């Protein structure tokens, strides 16, 4: 009985062509040869004949090493009778070293098994030449229990977290991940090692190839991938990255992009609309925050007006975290493992400051519910963050497409979070108590995956709309920068749900609008009085007839009845239009308010 593994792969090619097949004529001749007459009398030969057209049970299956022709030496009657179902095809004593598997064709047609004896090369299916590739061939692989199939698939799927650090300079070992990830690479990965010094691919087999096998395999692979793989979300000042795509990017205050819409942006959009966020069960979220002042020390940037501000940076990152929580994690229908790690680089904070800022950065997770195993791993001293790279990689380990093909999508690569030095972790009383609360909140059972938004978020949205419109009219409001900026202070109040503080800030902003209205009112009054004086100086009687309609001006003019003004204008003759006495009230109404 062949093992399961032996029957998985079905290949159309017969293994035989390397050797010259025994001539059918020779077989027939041999079968009818007088030498065989004795055996034809035995009852076994009569039954076996159609099942053994090549006479493997009666004649040696070995090959002459020089001529590559089948030996065909009759096998002793006794040895053939001894074993009607041998593992190997019988040979003469000379060819005992040439062992070929004996296969009996397993194809069942009209309820009857073919059963023909043939030279079988496992792991190819046990089917004779005639029945290889037959459409009724059973798919043994799909007959396996699902558990076994999933075990097999697991060798074709990543054993490491699926992240965005595809550039080789960004790869570092991940010492703090669960033991599953630091197991030695499986056999299938070792193939990659053999090829070159190039690191093994994340996906041992191109995922697309697997998904295209059949609908059933597609569904099973997808289910397995999403329930076992850990997807890494990297949250950094230059964006939020997942699977090599920048899903979120920093925007200017007006919402426009810093980056031109390129292939990468299109790829991210395509990823967002096609990736099934609902099915993902395991996430690793790596947040990294960098001290911009320290980072630029070498460049001597005047930080005050350059605008880098610690508090603003922390809240910027917190905003990204918040979006990742609602937009990505909150979409998962069955979030099982969530591992959050925070990397800080070059901050010199006291311990209370460190804990306070940590709480601020990971606070948005507190809205998540129903996470089965939430884990806040700790706060690490991260290396100075290099900028992300755009590297040409290909989706899920597939082969590089031909050069210049539209499939060449540049992917983003970001450095992995380095976790060598722990700043805050297990053993610190403040951290442990917060971590315990944090994990308890996240694992709470709830009907929805996210606790409801506080109303202050809607207040903030409207505040921002008003601010944006106002800043176009009253640029003074943008004079407050850094942590004093209106929008920053408003979001701080929002994140702390500080309603009093928010209202106070809102009133400050409204003051700008009222002050503007007052100034405009003064301008309007000043201009109106000048206008009145100007019109009052005209004490001449009005021409009633010309006041009725503007169309009159195209008619003969009273002062120069012979001339047509339109005609003169068309001919380029300078024309002086006489003054009309217009009602003052009418003009005032025309002024913009
Ligand atoms: Zn032989
Ligand atoms: Zn057959």
């Amino acid at each position: 009985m062949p093992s399961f593994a032996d029957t998985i792969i079905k290949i159309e090619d017969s293994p035989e062509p390397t050797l010259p097949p025994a001539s059918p004529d020779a077989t027939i001749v041999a079968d009818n040869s007088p030498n065989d007459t004795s055996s034809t009398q035995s009852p076994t030969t009569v039954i076996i004949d159609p099942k053994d057209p090549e006479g493997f049970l009666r004649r040696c299956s070995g090959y002459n090493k020089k001529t590559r022709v089948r030996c065909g030496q009759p096998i002793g009657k006794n040895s053939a009778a001894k074993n009607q179902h041998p593992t190997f095809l019988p040979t003469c004593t000379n060819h005992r070293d040439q062992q070929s598997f004996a296969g009996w064709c397993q194809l069942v047609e009209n309820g009857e098994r073919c059963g023909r004896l043939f030279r079988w090369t496992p792991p190819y299916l046990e089917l004779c030449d005639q029945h290889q590739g037959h459409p009724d061939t059973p798919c043994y692989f799909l007959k396996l229990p699902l558990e076994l199939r999933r075990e097999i698939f697991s060798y074709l799927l990543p054993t490491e977290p699926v992240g965005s650090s595809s550039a080789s300079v960004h790869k570092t070992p991940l010492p703090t991940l669960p033991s599953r990830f630091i197991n030695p690479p499986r056999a299938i990965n070792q193939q990659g090692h053999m090829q070159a010094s190039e690191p093994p691919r994340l996906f041992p087999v191109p995922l697309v190839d697997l998904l295209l096998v059949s609908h059933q395999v597609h569904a099973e692979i997808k289910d397995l991938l999403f329930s076992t793989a850990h997807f890494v979300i990297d949250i950094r000042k230059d964006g939020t990255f997942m699977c090599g795509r920048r899903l979120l990017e920093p925007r200017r205050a007006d919402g426009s992009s810093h980056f031109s819409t390129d292939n990468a942006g299109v790829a991210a959009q395509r990823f967002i609309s096609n990736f099934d966020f609902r099915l993902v069960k395991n996430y690793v979220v790596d947040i990294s925050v960098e001290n911009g002042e320290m980072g630029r020390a070498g460049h001597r940037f005047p930080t005050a007006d350059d605008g880098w501000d610690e508090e603003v940076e922390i809240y910027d990152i917190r905003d990204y975290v918040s979006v990742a929580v609602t937009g990505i994690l909150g979409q998962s229908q069955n979030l099982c493992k969530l591992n959050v790690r925070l990397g800080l680089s070059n901050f010199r904070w006291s311990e209370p400051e460190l804990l306070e800022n940590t709480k601020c950065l990971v606070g948005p997770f507190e809205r998540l519910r129903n996470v089965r195993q939430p884990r806040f791993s700790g706060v690490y001293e991260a290396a100075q963050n290099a900028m992300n790279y755009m590297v040409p990689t290909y989706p899920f380990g597939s082969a590089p497409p031909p050069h210049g093909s539209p499939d060449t999508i540049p992917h983003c690569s970001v450095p992995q979070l380095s976790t060598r030095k722990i700043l805050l972790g297990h053993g610190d009383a403040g951290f442990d108590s917060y971590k315990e609360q944090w994990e308890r909140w996240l694992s709470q059972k709830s009907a929805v995956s996210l606790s409801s938004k506080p109303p202050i978020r809607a207040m903030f949205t409207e505040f921002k709309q008003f601010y944006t419109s106002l800043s176009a009219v009253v640029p003074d409001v943008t004079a407050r920068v850094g942590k004093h900026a209106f929008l920053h202070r408003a979001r701080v109040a929002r994140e702390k749900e500080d309603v009093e503080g928010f209202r106070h800030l809102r009133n400050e902003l409204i003051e700008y609008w009222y002050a503007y209205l007052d100034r405009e009112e003064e301008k309007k009054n000043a201009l109106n009085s000048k206008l009145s004086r100007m019109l009052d100086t005209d004490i001449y009687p009005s021409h009633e007839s010309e006041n009725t309609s503007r169309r009159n001006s195209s008619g003969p003019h009273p002062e120069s009845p012979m001339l047509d003004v339109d005609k003169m204008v068309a001919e380029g003759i300078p024309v002086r239009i006489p003054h009309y006495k217009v009602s003052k009230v009418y003009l005032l109404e025309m002024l913009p308010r």
Side-chain angles (χ1 to χ4, degrees):
M1 185 59 196
S3 69
F4 281 124
D6 290 339
T7 53
I8 300 166
I9 306 160
K10 185 182 147 215
I11 296 272
E12 302 284 332
D13 299 340
S14 158
E16 292 277 334
T18 49
L19 301 172
S23 146
D25 295 334
T27 313
I28 294 163
V29 170
D31 280 350
N32 300 335
S33 68
N35 289 354
D36 260 13
T37 43
S38 56
S39 61
T40 45
Q41 288 163 357
S42 97
T44 51
T45 327
V46 179
I47 300 164
I48 288 170
D49 230 9
K51 298 280 179 192
D52 182 15
E54 292 182 65
F56 282 125
L57 285 183
R58 281 164 296 125
R59 292 179 297 102
C60 172
S61 67
Y63 288 101
N64 180 310
K65 276 175 190 158
K66 277 182 192 153
T67 62
R68 310 294 285 157
V69 171
R70 182 174 157 195
C71 163
Q73 191 77 34
I75 308 288
K77 206 175 164 187
N78 290 341
S79 59
K82 248 186 239 163
N83 190 354
Q84 284 300 312
H85 224 281
T87 309
F88 299 104
L89 296 175
T91 60
C92 67
T93 44
N94 288 342
H95 296 122
R96 211 179 288 155
D97 58 330
Q98 296 186 14
Q99 290 193 323
S100 309
F101 279 100
W104 282 267
C105 180
Q106 296 295 314
L107 190 99
V108 178
E109 224 171 1
N110 306 323
E112 213 175 311
R113 193 179 301 273
C114 165
R116 200 170 296 161
L117 178 63
F118 68 103
R119 196 190 296 272
W120 179 36
T121 311
Y124 301 112
L125 291 179
E126 197 175 359
L127 293 171
C128 70
D129 278 355
Q130 259 183 29
H131 290 132
Q132 273 180 15
H134 195 276
D136 293 342
T137 316
C139 181
Y140 293 108
F141 183 61
L142 291 179
K143 287 185 175 178
L144 288 175
L146 180 61
E147 293 77 13
L148 282 180
R149 214 159 40 238
R150 283 170 71 102
E151 182 61 26
I152 293 164
F153 287 147
S154 74
Y155 285 84
L156 308 175
L157 293 175
T159 49
E160 283 181 21
V162 184
S164 305
S165 304
S166 44
S168 50
V169 290
H170 287 158
K171 286 187 200 293
T172 53
L174 299 166
T176 58
L177 278 173
S179 58
R180 177 183 139 82
F181 298 131
I182 46 177
N183 285 343
R186 286 169 170 175
I188 206 135
N189 280 355
Q190 281 158 5
Q191 283 183 343
H193 282 305
M194 282 156 57
Q195 283 167 1
S197 56
E198 188 186 315
R201 285 190 169 151
L202 183 61
F203 281 79
V205 173
L207 181 63
V208 176
D209 292 4
L210 292 178
L211 296 177
L212 288 177
V213 171
S214 73
H215 284 289
Q216 188 184 341
V217 171
H218 179 281
E220 288 174 8
I221 289 270
K222 194 173 159 189
D223 183 61
L224 184 67
L225 175 68
F226 281 113
S227 51
T228 57
H230 288 60
F231 289 89
V232 184
I233 302 170
D234 286 285
I235 300 177
R236 303 151 43 88
K237 67 172 177 194
D238 50 354
T240 297
F241 299 83
M242 185 175 164
C243 296
R245 277 82 165 180
R246 189 207 306 265
L247 299 191
L248 294 171
E249 59 179 60
R251 297 274 170 153
R252 297 194 188 93
D254 62 357
S256 67
S257 170
H258 287 288
F259 308 93
S260 57
T261 321
D262 51 9
N263 276 350
V266 174
Q269 271 314 312
R270 209 161 59 181
F271 179 80
I272 291 170
S273 47
N274 291 326
F275 188 80
D276 214 337
F277 292 98
R278 293 168 309 156
L279 297 183
V280 179
K281 291 187 179 169
N282 310 295
Y283 278 110
V284 176
V285 181
D286 286 343
I287 305 162
S288 91
V289 194
E290 188 182 338
N291 187 337
E293 256 167 64
M294 301 294 283
R296 289 167 183 168
H299 301 271
R300 287 272 139 242
F301 264 102
T303 49
D305 55 71
D306 190 45
W308 191 87
D309 184 279
E310 186 178 289
E311 187 183 293
V312 174
E313 184 79 2
I314 289 174
Y315 275 89
D316 276 351
I317 300 284
R318 183 183 157 110
D319 275 354
Y320 289 168
V321 173
S322 194
V323 174
V325 166
T326 44
I328 302 175
L329 303 178
Q331 302 302 311
S332 172
Q333 288 172 340
N334 191 359
L335 191 50
C336 184
K337 288 182 187 160
L338 172 66
N339 188 3
V340 174
R341 307 184 298 179
L342 173 61
L344 300 173
S345 99
N346 291 326
F347 288 102
R348 289 183 194 139
W349 289 329
S350 67
E351 280 196 16
E353 276 175 337
L354 178 60
L355 187 62
E356 220 28 60
N357 290 331
T358 297
K359 285 182 187 176
C360 181
L361 284 161
V362 300
F365 290 102
E366 292 166 15
R367 281 183 62 209
L368 271 178
R369 294 290 175 268
N370 302 328
V371 185
R372 274 195 268 162
Q373 295 172 42
R375 188 167 154 222
F376 183 18
S377 295
V379 183
Y380 304 88
E381 172 72 52
Q384 189 72 35
N385 257 326
M387 282 297 283
N388 68 80
Y389 293 169
M390 298 299 265
V391 288
T393 52
Y394 313 100
F396 295 132
S398 59
H403 191 70
S405 117
D407 294 338
T408 323
I409 301 159
H411 280 203
C412 297
S413 182
V414 296
Q416 280 177 350
L417 191 75
S418 81
T419 50
R420 284 191 204 109
K421 193 181 162 201
I422 293 191
L423 293 178
L424 205 53
H426 182 66
D428 181 281
F431 176 79
D432 282 344
S433 99
Y434 177 65
K435 174 189 157 90
E436 197 256 313
Q437 274 184 330
W438 187 91
E439 291 176 355
R440 188 155 36 84
W441 282 322
L442 268 69
S443 58
Q444 260 172 21
K445 290 271 174 290
S446 162
V448 285
S449 59
L450 286 169
S451 64
S452 58
K453 276 186 189 177
I456 197 166
R457 297 196 84 87
M459 287 163 65
F460 175 84
T461 309
E462 291 306 319
F463 179 91
K464 192 180 166 197
Q465 298 273 343
F466 176 71
Y467 173 86
T468 310
S469 305
L470 181 63
S471 63
V473 185
V474 190
D476 283 0
V477 295
T478 59
R480 295 188 183 187
V481 292
K483 64 181 166 191
H484 305 292
F486 273 105
L487 286 183
H488 174 67
R489 285 179 57 204
R491 79 172 159 183
V492 171
R494 175 194 73 195
E495 295 302 304
K496 292 179 177 164
E497 219 178 333
D498 174 8
V499 179
E500 271 311 302
F502 193 89
R503 287 178 181 150
H504 184 76
L505 187 70
R506 194 175 58 193
N507 290 341
E508 276 181 53
L509 188 63
I510 294 171
E511 279 306 313
Y512 276 85
W513 172 237
Y514 286 151
Y516 169 78
L517 286 183
D518 287 348
R519 283 198 305 275
E520 292 300 300
E521 185 69 23
E522 275 170 28
K523 274 191 220 164
K524 177 179 150 188
N525 292 341
L527 208 63
N528 272 348
S529 65
K530 284 197 175 99
L531 178 73
S532 298
R533 283 211 299 278
M534 173 180 80
L535 294 175
D536 286 346
T537 51
D538 183 357
I539 51 172
Y540 294 96
S542 62
H543 301 276
E544 292 297 332
S545 58
E546 288 146 19
N547 231 352
T548 48
S549 165
R550 257 192 78 73
R551 229 177 277 150
N552 289 354
S553 62
S554 63
H557 203 274
E559 280 180 12
S560 50
M562 304 310 288
L563 296 173
D564 181 313
V565 176
D566 281 347
K567 218 176 188 173
M568 289 168 72
V569 170
E571 285 167 7
I573 302 166
V575 188
R576 270 184 297 121
I577 311 279
H579 289 290
Y580 295 98
K581 187 154 188 183
V582 185
S583 149
K584 203 158 65 176
V585 177
Y586 171 75
L587 269 185
L588 286 177
E589 276 172 357
M590 291 296 284
L591 280 177
R593 274 154 198 272

